[in-house]
Amino acid sequence: MVSNILMPRILEVGGGALERLAGVLAALGVQRPLVVTDPMMVELGYVARLHALLEAAGLDYRVFADTVPEPTLTSILDGVALMREGTAQGAFDGVIALGGGSPIDSAKAIGVLGHFGGEIRDYQFPRAASQLGLPLVAIPTTAGTGSEMTRFTIITDEAAGEKMLCPGIGFMPAAAIVDFELTLSVPPRVTADTGIDALTHAIEAYVSRKANPFSDHNALAAMRLIGPHLRRVYHQGDDRAAREAMMLGSSLAGLAFSSASVALVHGMSRPLGAAFHVPHGMSNAMLLPAITTFSLAAAPARYATCARAIGVATDSDDDARAGERLLAELVALNQELAVPTPRDYGIDPARFEALLDTMAEQALASGSPGNNPRVPNHAELIELYRSLW
């Protein structure tokens, strides 16, 4: 089997890596970047840090700081319009994404639409952004989505109530600056949700039907980093060693699922998030134990290896025992990190029941369930959603 591997051309990894921004832009030939970020990055002073670095390099740039959590068709329109305006010195020749997964996903969409035109639905799976566009430098400030390492963006069509998975080389960042120091201010709830998101990426990449030796290596490395450190960063946000491990684990997990794809958890998570505005990492966490239970018998050796990589099983445990330990860990992790059920989150039960059929259809249409070790049918998807309640 031949595997298609995409990754950023330039990686700057480690505490203080943000200071390398000007050199990265110079290497990519970028002189007029559009910075895409969100209001929180402005409030925390991160945009001011970028401003100082870009000013010192003598670059001409503009800032779009109005991205929103879980980006939508509407939320990216002003950014696309700004992208098409350019600067006083000419058209933008690059994009800088600063923030969590939402600003990075927004920047990917803004860059592609601003450069190639069209609408984001034109790039929805099974279609793709199949050409390289403007260089994108992704600077993540959470350890979770791994979007700095992937060929995907997720944009919600709010009118249709659908999260659209948009793949392709056009969405792959040209460079990633992975600086764990930018995550030190992330609060516990976001730390938990993004951390379980990263763990889900690694597990799903490893059990995916599209798994390959490259994705396996990165998925296992990610699990070995995330497993021992997720609880630590949740309880002690200033633990630098744990923050660094989670940041690297998140990026490796992103690299893994970019080539192996995600599976059933993500396929079901997107409709749940779109319908009820559940943050992406949290909806993944709601689903992960139930989907692992559903899938375990179809890939016992793979799930057992995940348990050993995370550190909840040993080589002396047979696959059946390791699988049991993995399930117990996922349940315990959700309890300790205070992951709510849909009911606890405040979702209206009547609306939840009314949308089950639509959510199941959207999950199947995304293609992600087809990568799962056990592929569900429409009726099984509905029962899996019900089991979360």
Side-chain angles (χ1 to χ4, degrees):
M1 180 180 70
V2 175
S3 302
N4 178 240
I5 309 298
L6 296 176
M7 64 180 73
R9 282 174 273 168
I10 300 172
L11 291 174
E12 296 286 354
V13 180
L18 181 62
E19 299 301 318
R20 303 281 188 91
L21 175 61
V24 169
L25 293 171
L28 295 172
V30 174
Q31 297 181 317
R32 296 180 301 280
L34 172 66
V35 177
V36 178
T37 187
D38 64 23
M40 181 57 66
M41 295 298 101
V42 176
E43 183 178 330
L44 291 173
Y46 290 164
V47 173
R49 290 181 62 184
L50 245 65
H51 172 83
L53 293 168
L54 297 173
E55 288 290 320
L59 299 180
D60 186 29
Y61 66 95
R62 296 176 71 180
V63 176
F64 177 69
D66 294 326
T67 67
V68 300
E70 315 296 328
T72 67
L73 291 173
T74 302
S75 74
I76 63 173
L77 291 179
D78 287 343
V80 173
L82 180 58
M83 184 81 197
R84 290 171 177 165
E85 287 178 14
T87 74
Q89 296 182 16
F92 290 109
D93 58 5
V95 182
I96 300 170
L98 174 70
S102 293
I104 296 176
D105 277 3
S106 297
K108 289 178 176 183
I110 289 168
V112 166
L113 296 182
H115 185 66
F116 291 114
E119 300 179 357
I120 194 63
R121 188 171 286 281
D122 298 332
Y123 304 97
Q124 184 183 11
F125 178 85
R127 296 177 293 274
S130 56
Q131 292 179 290
L132 285 170
L134 297 178
L136 168 66
V137 179
I139 309 172
T141 59
T142 61
T145 70
S147 188
E148 72 278 4
M149 299 292 228
T150 76
R151 66 181 87 193
F152 305 109
T153 189
I154 307 291
I155 304 295
T156 299
D157 180 341
E158 57 266 63
E162 177 186 8
K163 281 193 174 186
M164 298 180 292
L165 172 64
C166 304
I169 192 172
F171 296 119
M172 172 59 70
I177 296 177
V178 183
D179 185 342
F180 77 89
E181 292 179 351
L182 300 178
T183 71
L184 291 171
S185 62
V186 177
R189 179 72 267 145
V190 178
T191 295
D193 294 344
T194 55
I196 298 178
D197 190 19
L199 179 61
T200 305
H201 292 151
I203 292 174
E204 290 212 294
Y206 192 71
V207 302
S208 169
R209 290 170 178 254
K210 294 181 180 176
N212 56 72
F214 181 86
S215 63
D216 283 355
H217 177 82
N218 288 294
L220 291 173
M223 283 185 265
R224 292 184 184 112
L225 289 164
I226 295 167
H229 294 101
L230 178 49
R231 284 178 170 85
R232 281 174 57 181
V233 292
Y234 176 72
H235 292 296
Q236 193 68 41
D238 60 356
D239 185 329
R240 290 174 63 88
R243 287 288 190 189
E244 184 170 20
M246 287 298 300
M247 194 65 158
L248 182 56
S250 172
S251 292
L252 290 172
L255 199 56
F257 87 79
S258 189
S259 61
S261 295
V262 286
L264 182 55
V265 174
H266 278 75
M268 294 181 65
S269 175
R270 295 184 205 105
L272 184 63
F276 301 105
H277 307 292
V278 182
H280 174 67
M282 182 182 289
S283 60
N284 277 350
M286 289 177 178
L287 285 155
L288 185 57
I291 301 308
T292 304
T293 301
F294 173 81
S295 308
L296 183 60
R302 286 254 149 184
Y303 281 110
T305 301
C306 291
R308 297 181 187 107
I310 292 168
V312 296
T314 68
D315 290 339
S316 63
D317 292 312
D318 63 20
D319 287 353
R321 180 60 175 154
E324 292 172 0
R325 289 183 179 275
L326 176 63
L327 289 174
E329 167 66 4
L330 297 180
V331 171
L333 191 62
N334 276 9
Q335 291 175 344
E336 186 168 340
L337 273 56
V339 175
T341 64
R343 177 177 55 193
D344 294 338
Y345 189 71
I347 292 174
D348 177 69
R351 187 161 180 263
F352 185 80
E353 186 69 24
L355 287 176
L356 287 176
D357 188 67
T358 298
M359 290 195 296
E361 288 180 358
Q362 290 178 351
L364 287 171
S366 75
S368 297
N371 302 323
N372 207 59
R374 179 182 174 187
V375 179
N377 59 33
H378 187 274
E380 288 172 323
L381 281 168
I382 288 176
E383 289 310 309
L384 282 167
Y385 276 126
R386 285 194 176 117
S387 74
L388 305 180
W389 195 258

